[in-house]
Amino acid sequence: MHFSIDRKYFYDKLSIVSRAISVFSPLPALSGICIDLKDDSMTLTGSDSNISIRTVIVPGELNNLDIEEEGSIIIDSKYLLEIVRKLDCKNIEIEVIDYSLVRISSDNGQFNLNGIRSNEYPDIDFTQPKHHFVLKATDLKSIVSQTAFACSDKDQRPVLMGVNFNSQGNMLYCSGTDSYRLARKTIELDSSQDFNITIPSKSLTEVVRSVSDDDTIDIFADSKKAQFVFDKTIIQTRLIDGTFPDVQRIIPTSCVSKMLVDSYEIAGTIDRTNFIRNDKVHLIKLECTPQETHVKTYSSEIGNSDEVLTKCEYEGEEISLTCNGTYMLDAIKALGCEKVLIEFSGFMKPIKVSNPEDASVLMILVPIRSYD
Amino acid sequence: MHFSIDRKYFYDKLSIVSRAISVFSPLPALSGICIDLKDDSMTLTGSDSNISIRTVIVPGELNNLDIEEEGSIIIDSKYLLEIVRKLDCKNIEIEVIDYSLVRISSDNGQFNLNGIRSNEYPDIDFTQPKHHFVLKATDLKSIVSQTAFACSDKDQRPVLMGVNFNSQGNMLYCSGTDSYRLARKTIELDSSQDFNITIPSKSLTEVVRSVSDDDTIDIFADSKKAQFVFDKTIIQTRLIDGTFPDVQRIIPTSCVSKMLVDSYEIAGTIDRTNFIRNDKVHLIKLECTPQETHVKTYSSEIGNSDEVLTKCEYEGEEISLTCNGTYMLDAIKALGCEKVLIEFSGFMKPIKVSNPEDASVLMILVPIRSYD
């Protein structure tokens, strides 16, 4: 194997592939990037066996790729990235010089790294699943930023560690929940679909890190895996087994009172009481009347706080309930709008937080019983 | 106790004082900032008993300080800083409302924090030591940035964890060493002095973080403590006991060969081989002849590298020696100049690294025996 390539271009592609690689891989080959030169193109593969990324580079003006000899090798991803990033030259040359010893040459010097023969790389099945739909990168990014934060990070119920993509007809419902809160984004698809899959939120985060805003992403899925395809790159992830809870059920259909509040003000108010915690949980108590809305916190150890929201319109019956302040703040931030609408469906009943100008996204919080 | 003050001004002063406070303080009072209102001024004190910071605020246009009632209290530094930083108003009001309960009020709300009565604060002796000299903040900053990095971070020989300030006549020699390397900066003083003290490098770092470039710093010292006084603030630190090694002895007085090299090139070359380590130590081998200078690394596990320095003038006898690459890189970075002069005094003898245009600062590295 022997080729030369534009350093910066190569680094960008290596970075994408390396996102799949786990530092603590039980299989030495999986801590490396597999470089495969064949049929006048280069294929880079990285994987941690849950998520796998493959990208193809064909010779072109931008990348300056020049293949002198076909072949393949696995190079430790950390070392390879570090060298390619730090070298101070336009092109670099990579060559397998002896069995698995790889020579990386720049203008003024060379590195010899111990590689691994490519036959030790596990066989990763990149065949295309049957369901197919298309999303704009910006849509996928908003799905992930507005739902993935609500997923569980505990593996007691693995299915809650992913975002559920549920398609019925032309509508795609994306939901993240840890059973205490729910974040749901609805997107209209170009074609009618019928699937219900749960994609690990960690994989989705890697996908959105790798795409550019003007990409269009082809998504393929079946019951076992999903593939995100864009710009000669495939990001493939295993799906999470198990039945995702029926979240539609917990979305309140009516409200007893609602408030329209300035996002910046309420976020600031909740954020600055963040340190007043009980057993590490940040509880806030909302005391709402048509006249005044108070945000209160209390901790016997640390102290208490009481602030009035000034930019707030409230209508409906008086209500007083406690919820997780961190969750409320996450929801408000994920909505990312100037004013948020908070709808109460009654004492100890779910709270709905939404953007009054965008019905495609909604957040549900479950109140917490407090004994004060 | 009851006062109001400009929020931003107060935050800046609290930040300075809080630098002395350790998160894990065995004495609860020391995890707080002591606020003392007396004689129409406010004194803030923070301490971890090794380093203590005191600053005085007198009412003025900038700070808007208005003292309604004298008194004193200790407030947890983490919580106080968080509230004052995050509040969204110009002025804040602080009041002790009941025994040790402190009320912090802003335009729209209030926090009640559990404080600690000020009589629980340890008595810190801020009397002025006898030796006195003056340094410009920029000079103190360069002393610290050019010497403190070379101090030891292991407490086997505590005296090596500080920068030695040794004054003879008008000259002040500042040295940091961990016994494998030495960094020395020489400053000319306005007055003749005679002292030899070792200041913990950690304390020096806190001092330079707190000063502005246009400050002038009065330094007072005796055999027990040093005080840095500027802008109504005193930073006081304990000194390190023990005899600082006679570092003058190890500075080579002659050389067998020397090289003048582009800092950016040699720093880049060393930096990109950083991952090729043996037992976690980054060893580089310099192979110098008048014709060519190679920087080589070798690790049986990872691989090896070989680069030629192109912007390098070398004169003197051929030499080949191994040194710690991290230390060499630290030295070159601390010099912060375009070209560095590296002088060799012989095989296995100290290497001197300096700025050819500034004789006030020099770095010494001890070579390492390698068996290749």
Side-chain angles (χ1 to χ4, degrees):
Chain A
M1 192 192 77
H2 189 180
F3 67 96
S4 66
I5 191 166
D6 181 87
R7 187 186 63 80
K8 223 192 137 323
Y9 186 96
F10 191 47
Y11 178 71
D12 290 344
K13 297 295 178 186
L14 289 175
S15 311
I16 291 177
V17 170
S18 71
R19 292 212 175 100
I21 296 168
S22 151
V23 191
F24 307 104
S25 175
L27 195 67
L30 283 186
S31 65
I33 292 176
C34 183
I35 302 178
D36 190 14
L37 293 178
K38 208 164 63 183
D39 304 334
D40 203 32
S41 74
M42 167 153 56
T43 305
L44 303 175
T45 311
S47 174
D48 72 352
S49 77
N50 283 315
I51 179 167
S52 306
I53 305 182
R54 169 165 288 181
T55 192
V56 176
I57 305 174
V58 290
E61 230 173 83
L62 280 171
N63 57 42
N64 236 336
L65 175 60
D66 182 19
I67 300 174
E68 290 201 25
E69 194 192 332
E70 295 192 341
S72 57
I73 193 79
I74 304 166
I75 309 177
D76 184 278
S77 108
K78 213 169 76 227
Y79 301 151
L80 180 60
L81 271 157
E82 181 141 340
I83 294 175
V84 176
R85 179 167 67 87
K86 288 184 175 171
L87 273 177
D88 192 15
C89 57
K90 181 144 173 50
N91 281 300
I92 58 166
E93 196 178 331
I94 296 186
E95 186 182 3
V96 174
I97 50 172
D98 180 21
Y99 194 70
S100 66
L101 190 66
V102 186
R103 172 163 295 169
I104 304 172
S105 315
S106 69
D107 299 346
N108 306 320
Q110 60 188 35
F111 289 79
N112 295 312
L113 290 188
N114 300 323
I116 297 175
R117 300 250 282 177
S118 63
N119 53 15
E120 294 191 25
Y121 206 75
D123 215 9
I124 298 167
D125 176 17
F126 276 96
T127 52
Q128 222 161 59
K130 63 171 196 271
H131 289 293
H132 173 228
F133 62 101
V134 178
L135 279 181
K136 280 186 281 185
T138 48
D139 281 343
L140 185 67
K141 282 189 177 182
S142 59
I143 290 173
V144 176
S145 69
Q146 295 186 320
T147 62
F149 74 92
C151 294
S152 172
D153 53 4
K154 299 185 183 64
D155 51 11
Q156 283 131 332
R157 279 183 74 186
V159 79
L160 300 187
M161 298 176 80
V163 176
N164 180 253
F165 283 64
N166 184 359
S167 170
Q168 292 159 7
N170 272 18
M171 301 308 284
L172 175 67
Y173 300 97
C174 306
S175 316
T177 178
D178 61 2
S179 81
Y180 303 105
R181 57 174 163 179
L182 163 70
R184 162 174 281 202
K185 172 94 180 169
T186 310
I187 294 266
E188 202 168 334
L189 297 179
D190 289 341
S191 56
S192 182
Q193 298 287 336
D194 178 22
F195 58 82
N196 187 343
I197 57 175
T198 306
I199 305 177
S201 68
K202 211 170 129 257
S203 304
L204 287 170
T205 312
E206 296 305 339
V207 174
V208 296
R209 271 196 203 151
S210 307
V211 300
S212 320
D213 273 351
D214 44 5
D215 281 337
T216 301
I217 302 161
D218 286 288
I219 303 176
F220 299 89
D222 58 19
S223 62
K224 290 281 166 223
K225 67 180 183 184
Q227 275 186 0
F228 299 83
V229 182
F230 55 94
D231 190 21
K232 293 202 176 59
T233 300
I234 302 174
I235 302 185
Q236 171 170 301
T237 172
R238 283 200 191 167
L239 300 180
I240 307 181
D241 285 336
T243 311
F244 199 79
D246 175 16
V247 290
Q248 186 65 42
R249 218 168 30 85
I250 70 148
I251 300 174
T253 46
S254 64
C255 69
V256 297
S257 62
K258 56 185 174 183
M259 85 184 176
L260 188 66
V261 59
D262 183 88
S263 303
Y264 181 81
E265 187 185 26
I266 188 168
T269 303
I270 297 172
D271 183 42
R272 59 183 161 256
T273 59
N274 181 37
F275 67 95
I276 303 182
R277 294 185 167 224
N278 289 283
D279 295 333
K280 294 190 182 163
V281 181
H282 177 214
L283 297 180
I284 57 168
K285 188 174 184 184
L286 298 168
E287 282 186 7
C288 314
T289 67
Q291 289 74 45
E292 235 175 22
T293 300
H294 286 260
V295 179
K296 294 185 174 181
T297 63
Y298 174 79
S299 148
S300 58
E301 205 184 320
I302 300 166
N304 62 67
S305 74
D306 178 359
E307 278 199 64
V308 175
L309 297 178
T310 56
K311 297 172 190 161
C312 175
E313 295 159 38
Y314 185 83
E315 59 184 68
E317 56 184 62
E318 289 186 11
I319 204 160
S320 164
L321 44 72
T322 302
C323 68
N324 185 318
T326 312
Y327 287 8
M328 179 62 93
L329 197 57
D330 286 348
I332 293 167
K333 281 186 184 163
L335 287 171
C337 50
E338 225 170 284
K339 287 185 170 201
V340 288
L341 181 67
I342 302 182
E343 290 166 274
F344 301 98
S345 50
F347 181 69
M348 285 309 290
K349 294 208 174 120
I351 308 165
K352 180 171 156 190
V353 185
S354 62
N355 177 355
E357 289 168 7
D358 177 7
S360 81
V361 52
L362 65 87
M363 311 288 168
I364 306 289
L365 299 185
V366 180
I368 291 166
R369 201 173 291 277
S370 74
Y371 304 94
D372 53 322
Chain B
M1 191 192 79
H2 189 180
F3 68 95
S4 67
I5 191 167
D6 181 88
R7 188 186 62 80
K8 223 193 138 326
Y9 186 96
F10 192 47
Y11 179 71
D12 290 343
K13 296 295 178 185
L14 290 174
S15 312
I16 291 178
V17 170
S18 71
R19 292 210 177 102
I21 296 168
S22 152
V23 190
F24 308 104
S25 175
L27 195 67
L30 283 186
S31 66
I33 292 176
C34 183
I35 302 178
D36 190 14
L37 293 178
K38 208 164 60 183
D39 304 334
D40 203 34
S41 75
M42 166 153 55
T43 304
L44 303 174
T45 310
S47 174
D48 72 353
S49 77
N50 282 315
I51 180 167
S52 305
I53 305 182
R54 168 164 288 182
T55 192
V56 176
I57 305 175
V58 291
E61 230 173 85
L62 280 171
N63 56 42
N64 236 336
L65 174 61
D66 182 19
I67 300 175
E68 290 201 25
E69 194 192 332
E70 296 192 343
S72 57
I73 193 78
I74 304 165
I75 309 178
D76 184 278
S77 110
K78 214 169 75 225
Y79 302 151
L80 180 59
L81 271 157
E82 181 140 341
I83 295 174
V84 176
R85 177 167 68 87
K86 288 183 174 171
L87 273 177
D88 193 16
C89 57
K90 181 143 174 52
N91 281 300
I92 57 166
E93 197 179 330
I94 296 186
E95 186 183 3
V96 175
I97 51 171
D98 180 22
Y99 193 71
S100 65
L101 190 67
V102 186
R103 171 162 296 169
I104 304 173
S105 315
S106 69
D107 298 347
N108 306 321
Q110 61 190 34
F111 289 81
N112 296 312
L113 290 188
N114 300 322
I116 297 175
R117 300 250 283 174
S118 63
N119 54 15
E120 293 190 27
Y121 206 76
D123 215 10
I124 298 168
D125 175 17
F126 276 96
T127 52
Q128 220 161 61
K130 63 173 198 271
H131 290 293
H132 173 228
F133 61 101
V134 178
L135 278 182
K136 280 186 281 186
T138 47
D139 281 342
L140 185 67
K141 283 189 177 180
S142 60
I143 290 173
V144 176
S145 69
Q146 295 186 321
T147 62
F149 74 91
C151 294
S152 171
D153 53 4
K154 300 185 182 66
D155 51 11
Q156 284 131 331
R157 278 182 75 186
V159 79
L160 299 187
M161 297 177 80
V163 176
N164 180 254
F165 283 64
N166 185 359
S167 169
Q168 293 159 6
N170 273 18
M171 300 308 284
L172 174 66
Y173 300 98
C174 306
S175 316
T177 178
D178 61 3
S179 81
Y180 303 104
R181 57 174 163 179
L182 163 71
R184 163 174 280 201
K185 172 93 180 169
T186 310
I187 294 266
E188 201 167 335
L189 297 178
D190 289 341
S191 56
S192 182
Q193 297 287 336
D194 178 23
F195 59 81
N196 188 342
I197 57 175
T198 306
I199 305 177
S201 68
K202 212 170 130 256
S203 303
L204 287 169
T205 312
E206 296 305 337
V207 173
V208 296
R209 271 195 204 152
S210 306
V211 299
S212 320
D213 274 352
D214 45 4
D215 281 337
T216 301
I217 302 160
D218 286 287
I219 303 176
F220 299 89
D222 58 20
S223 61
K224 290 282 167 222
K225 68 180 183 183
Q227 274 185 1
F228 299 82
V229 182
F230 56 94
D231 191 21
K232 293 204 178 58
T233 301
I234 302 174
I235 303 185
Q236 170 170 301
T237 171
R238 282 201 192 166
L239 300 180
I240 307 180
D241 285 336
T243 310
F244 199 79
D246 176 16
V247 291
Q248 185 66 44
R249 217 167 31 83
I250 69 148
I251 300 173
T253 47
S254 65
C255 69
V256 297
S257 63
K258 58 185 175 186
M259 84 185 177
L260 187 67
V261 60
D262 182 88
S263 303
Y264 181 81
E265 186 184 26
I266 188 168
T269 304
I270 298 172
D271 183 41
R272 59 183 159 256
T273 59
N274 181 36
F275 68 95
I276 303 181
R277 293 182 168 228
N278 288 283
D279 295 334
K280 294 188 181 165
V281 182
H282 177 214
L283 295 181
I284 58 168
K285 188 173 184 185
L286 297 168
E287 283 186 6
C288 314
T289 67
Q291 290 75 43
E292 236 175 23
T293 300
H294 286 260
V295 179
K296 295 185 174 181
T297 63
Y298 175 79
S299 147
S300 58
E301 203 184 321
I302 301 166
N304 62 67
S305 75
D306 179 359
E307 279 199 63
V308 176
L309 297 177
T310 56
K311 295 171 190 162
C312 175
E313 295 159 38
Y314 186 83
E315 58 183 68
E317 57 185 62
E318 288 185 11
I319 204 159
S320 164
L321 43 74
T322 302
C323 69
N324 185 318
T326 311
Y327 286 8
M328 179 63 93
L329 197 57
D330 285 348
I332 293 167
K333 281 186 183 162
L335 287 171
C337 51
E338 225 169 285
K339 287 185 170 199
V340 288
L341 180 67
I342 301 182
E343 291 167 273
F344 301 99
S345 50
F347 182 69
M348 286 308 291
K349 293 204 175 125
I351 308 166
K352 181 171 155 189
V353 185
S354 62
N355 177 353
E357 287 167 8
D358 177 8
S360 80
V361 51
L362 65 86
M363 311 287 169
I364 307 289
L365 300 184
V366 180
I368 291 165
R369 201 173 291 276
S370 74
Y371 302 94
D372 54 321

